[in-house]
Amino acid sequence: SQQGEEDPQALSIQEGENATMNCSYKTSINNLQWYRQNSGRGLVHLILIRSNEREKHSGRLRVTLDTSKKSSSLLITASRAADTASYFCVYNQGGKLIFGQGTELSVKP
Amino acid sequence: NAGVMQNPRHLVRRRGQEARLRCSPMKGHSHVYWYRQLPEEGLKFMVYLQKENIIDESGMPKERFSAEFPKEGPSILRIQQVVRGDSAAYFCASSPNTFATNEKLFFGSGTQLSVL
């Protein structure tokens, strides 16, 4: 399969809690990106982490990358109802983006 | 500067008809990617095009599907003789250059194809 693996597939939390999503991939990468998709809409780029970086922050987002384990995690702190969406990790394989299957996050007010 | 524009937003076809999906990349972008998304799944790569060239079509089904990105006008994804299994959301993305080390893609809102 060309897809990466993500877990959990679905995550339901209360507003204010933190949400952690994990992603594993299969090849060597130059970078790994995370995208967000609201229901029925296109994808929005959230953050990119290079292969020589271990951690990166952007607002309430924190991404880690472990190239030895071929895995990444996305942490959303102090979640809000508006964070409800699907989150995909994405990596470059041979010039095309390969998407994980996504984590569906539901944040309850 | 408008984003990536896809139309139509929704397309309904009967089995055996043709579906044409259009994508206008962001201004200044010469690279277009098409992805297909089935319900509750991630996006699956279909084809990567530059102006007048197909660079990578490894994700395209061998039959009935074709894509083009002419010198003038939008990129077109064409599905002939549609079947129910073609029902999905089709997303287009663009980038200014070859997907380089640190570039991101800009996505359109997608076309939802429903085959009756």
Side-chain angles (χ1 to χ4, degrees):
Chain A
S1 167
Q2 65 172 235
Q3 287 189 299
E5 301 287 328
E6 291 189 60
D7 79 274
Q9 288 191 342
L11 180 60
S12 182
I13 59 174
Q14 294 293 132
E15 224 171 12
E17 294 180 338
N18 296 341
T20 300
M21 291 159 265
N22 302 296
C23 164
S24 62
Y25 55 91
K26 303 185 180 193
T27 65
S28 297
I29 59 172
N30 291 323
N31 66 65
L32 185 139
Q33 304 183 30
W34 285 86
Y35 285 75
R36 165 196 166 127
Q37 183 182 34
N38 286 71
S39 178
R41 293 183 174 276
L43 280 77
V44 176
H45 180 265
L46 294 177
I47 194 166
L48 179 152
I49 185 165
R50 299 183 181 89
S51 60
N52 62 353
E53 297 176 311
R54 291 295 168 260
E55 187 172 310
K56 196 163 184 179
H57 297 253
S58 176
R60 293 184 296 112
L61 305 180
R62 176 182 154 231
V63 170
T64 63
L65 180 64
D66 187 336
T67 53
S68 66
K69 295 180 180 178
K70 291 188 168 56
S71 67
S72 175
S73 67
L74 171 66
L75 168 68
I76 304 174
T77 60
S79 64
R80 305 167 182 166
D83 293 330
T84 295
S86 293
Y87 293 82
F88 295 91
C89 72
V90 185
Y91 59 93
N92 185 346
Q93 181 178 306
K96 58 192 181 218
L97 290 185
I98 304 298
F99 283 75
Q101 293 182 311
T103 293
E104 192 173 330
L105 174 65
S106 175
V107 181
K108 301 188 186 307
Chain B
N1 184 10
V4 178
M5 305 299 292
Q6 287 188 250
N7 68 82
R9 188 78 174 88
H10 300 277
L11 182 61
V12 180
R13 285 287 178 267
R14 297 190 181 280
R15 281 180 296 171
Q17 291 184 320
E18 178 180 288
R20 281 182 177 244
L21 289 64
R22 294 176 184 75
C23 170
S24 296
M26 285 185 70
K27 188 176 180 180
H29 287 194
S30 58
H31 298 251
V32 166
Y33 305 76
W34 283 94
Y35 287 81
R36 176 164 65 176
Q37 185 178 34
L38 295 170
E40 299 186 16
E41 292 189 11
L43 277 69
K44 292 191 177 177
F45 170 80
M46 298 182 75
V47 62
Y48 163 35
L49 309 106
Q50 295 177 29
K51 286 281 187 181
E52 300 184 278
N53 284 309
I54 296 174
I55 306 303
D56 183 343
E57 57 181 348
S58 58
M60 290 277 272
K62 295 283 187 284
E63 297 175 348
R64 301 187 298 108
F65 284 71
S66 62
E68 62 176 7
F69 188 17
K71 187 177 180 180
E72 301 291 338
S75 175
I76 306 288
L77 179 66
R78 182 181 177 207
I79 311 172
Q80 296 178 289
Q81 299 175 336
V82 295
V83 301
R84 288 214 174 108
D86 297 333
S87 295
Y90 292 83
F91 289 94
C92 167
S94 73
S95 68
N97 299 304
T98 300
F99 183 67
T101 301
N102 296 321
E103 286 206 23
K104 63 184 181 184
L105 293 186
F106 296 82
F107 281 84
S109 296
T111 293
Q112 180 65 51
L113 173 64
S114 298
V115 180
L116 304 179

